[in-house]
Amino acid sequence: MPDFLARLSLTVGQAGLLILLVVIALLFIGTLILSGYALVMRSINQRREQRLAALSERWLEPVLAAVSDPSRVPEVQKLVDEGDAIRFLDFIIEYARRVRGAEKRVLRDLARPFLPHVLDRMEARGTEMRAWAIQVLGTLGLPQYEKQVVAALDDPSALVAMIAARALAREETPQYAPAVLARLERFGEWNRMFLASMLAAMGPEVSAELRAGYADESIAPGTRAVMAEALLRQGDFLAGDIAARVVRSDQHIDLLASSFRLLAAIGRPEHVDAVRPHCRSDDPVVRSQALRAMGPLGDPGDVPVLLEAMDDESPWPALYAARGVRDAGGRQTLESMVAEGDQRASLARQVLREVGGE
């Protein structure tokens, strides 16, 4: 009996060793397979990069020549094989981002016969592929493919929708402003100043639509704030009356802050009555922006309120109040603070030294 158990124990030990050897062998084989796959993929990528480099070298000089002489466009298009259409569009888009006007029109002419190859990619499951397709059509395919680019504003991916919005929001294509503005709320999580710059880039032809949206109380306050910032960047003086109405009736902090910034830039003296009540707001953001507007809109009678606000516990309201004292005709008062060593002398000195107002 003991001999049997000993033989059994030895057999189990050998089996364990055999299993370990098999596992090691499988891991080794797996490592070889993965290494081989990595080498194959590296070789494929290298060949692809080499081919792309060769094609770029082949196309570069003719494309530049066509930009200088548009009559050579058909000649360049003949250099592009059917299977290289996507690569050619990828090559063209890099240059199209850097140029405008006549040069961009030439690049669009060069790309036009190859754009149908992009349409299938608009239905791709991958976000990156759809984004690339919209970028190409938005940059090189308008107005021919405007239907597809406008439809992309409703793409499930916010990135794809934003690429479409940026392609449409251009000064040379103001006709797409209604479509972009109608979807603006879906970009609520994007940076407000970025969105405002995008809208402002559409130029003065869309200012009336921006004003209408800014005044529309049925639109989300955050979206209206973006429109106010866009109008500020456009320097739209007709928005002043709307801004004054907004600060009288609305309580949304972002919308109030944007409206005060707008009033500070383009407001008129009669708008100051809408600003004054907010200079003692409990919210430091609202308070600081109201004080910011009070300076250019106020008069010497507003200086006492601004002087009081220079003692604000929050630094931004205090700074804007000091600037307001200066801009409302209280420069001598600030100079006296500095000369007398007032506790606000440091702030007064800073404001007096500022160049260009701020």
Side-chain angles (χ1 to χ4, degrees):
M1 189 67 174
D3 292 339
F4 172 75
L5 292 175
R7 287 196 299 273
L8 180 61
S9 175
L10 181 62
T11 302
V12 171
Q14 290 175 336
L17 180 60
L18 180 60
I19 292 171
L20 180 60
L21 290 173
V22 169
V23 171
I24 292 173
L26 290 175
L27 290 173
F28 180 71
I29 293 171
T31 301
L32 289 177
I33 292 172
L34 290 174
S35 299
Y37 176 77
L39 289 173
V40 170
M41 292 304 299
R42 181 180 179 184
S43 177
I44 291 173
N45 288 333
Q46 285 180 337
R47 286 200 296 271
R48 182 184 295 120
E49 290 173 2
Q50 289 171 355
R51 174 156 178 74
L52 288 174
L55 288 172
S56 296
E57 186 176 351
R58 179 187 181 190
W59 294 329
L60 178 58
E61 191 172 327
V63 166
L64 294 178
V67 169
S68 301
D69 180 7
S71 67
R72 303 183 66 174
V73 166
E75 176 185 325
V76 178
Q77 291 169 338
K78 291 178 181 178
L79 297 175
V80 183
D81 297 332
E82 189 74 12
D84 292 327
I86 294 296
R87 295 186 182 92
F88 183 69
L89 291 172
D90 214 17
F91 175 80
I92 289 293
I93 197 73
E94 292 299 321
Y95 288 93
R97 294 193 190 105
R98 307 172 195 169
V99 299
R100 302 183 67 180
E103 294 178 340
K104 194 164 189 175
R105 286 193 291 272
V106 173
L107 294 177
R108 286 173 177 164
D109 291 340
L110 283 167
R112 187 172 293 114
F114 310 105
L115 292 176
H117 293 270
V118 175
L119 298 179
D120 289 342
R121 299 195 172 203
M122 292 189 60
E123 306 299 327
R125 295 179 63 181
T127 298
E128 290 184 5
M129 192 169 291
R130 295 200 311 278
W132 178 87
I134 291 302
Q135 186 177 50
V136 171
L137 293 179
T139 305
L140 301 172
L142 294 177
Q144 183 179 0
Y145 293 97
E146 63 181 21
K147 181 179 178 181
Q148 289 84 350
V149 180
V150 170
L153 291 169
D154 298 315
D155 191 276
S157 167
L159 174 62
V160 176
M162 175 53 71
I163 290 174
R166 291 194 66 187
L168 296 169
R170 294 175 179 162
E171 188 171 7
E172 62 266 29
T173 55
Q175 66 269 30
Y176 303 127
V180 174
L181 293 175
R183 276 86 164 182
L184 194 59
E185 287 189 26
R186 78 165 299 185
F187 303 120
E189 295 185 0
W190 289 72
N191 180 274
R192 183 176 293 112
M193 300 309 172
F194 168 79
L195 293 174
S197 295
M198 181 182 77
L199 297 180
M202 290 189 284
E205 286 194 48
V206 303
S207 296
E209 292 173 85
L210 288 172
R211 289 195 298 271
Y214 175 38
D216 189 347
E217 295 182 2
S218 68
I219 295 177
T223 302
R224 294 168 67 196
V226 171
M227 295 179 180
E229 295 289 350
L231 290 165
L232 171 59
R233 282 160 174 71
Q234 291 185 341
D236 187 82
F237 287 95
L238 297 178
D241 291 338
I242 301 173
R245 290 199 300 270
V246 169
V247 300
R248 283 190 175 100
S249 61
D250 208 283
Q251 300 299 319
H252 189 274
I253 292 175
D254 290 337
L255 180 55
L256 284 175
S258 295
S259 298
F260 286 128
R261 281 194 286 271
L262 185 57
L263 285 170
I266 55 90
R268 300 188 302 276
E270 59 263 34
H271 296 146
V272 72
D273 288 338
V275 176
R276 287 189 178 112
H278 296 277
C279 290
R280 290 188 173 92
S281 170
D282 292 333
D283 187 281
V285 174
V286 173
R287 195 164 66 247
S288 65
Q289 295 303 325
L291 291 165
R292 180 180 193 173
M294 179 66 81
L297 298 180
D299 55 42
D302 294 304
V303 170
V305 174
L306 293 167
L307 286 170
E308 178 186 341
M310 285 180 65
D311 291 319
D312 198 291
E313 60 183 13
S314 182
W316 285 109
L319 175 61
Y320 284 126
R323 288 172 175 168
V325 171
R326 179 195 63 199
D327 297 339
R331 187 178 187 88
Q332 286 186 336
T333 303
L334 294 176
E335 291 173 347
S336 296
M337 286 182 182
V338 175
E340 297 169 5
D342 187 279
Q343 62 180 1
R344 297 164 293 183
S346 176
L347 179 58
R349 186 181 298 108
Q350 174 185 339
V351 169
L352 290 170
R353 286 178 176 174
E354 288 178 345
V355 179
E358 290 188 15

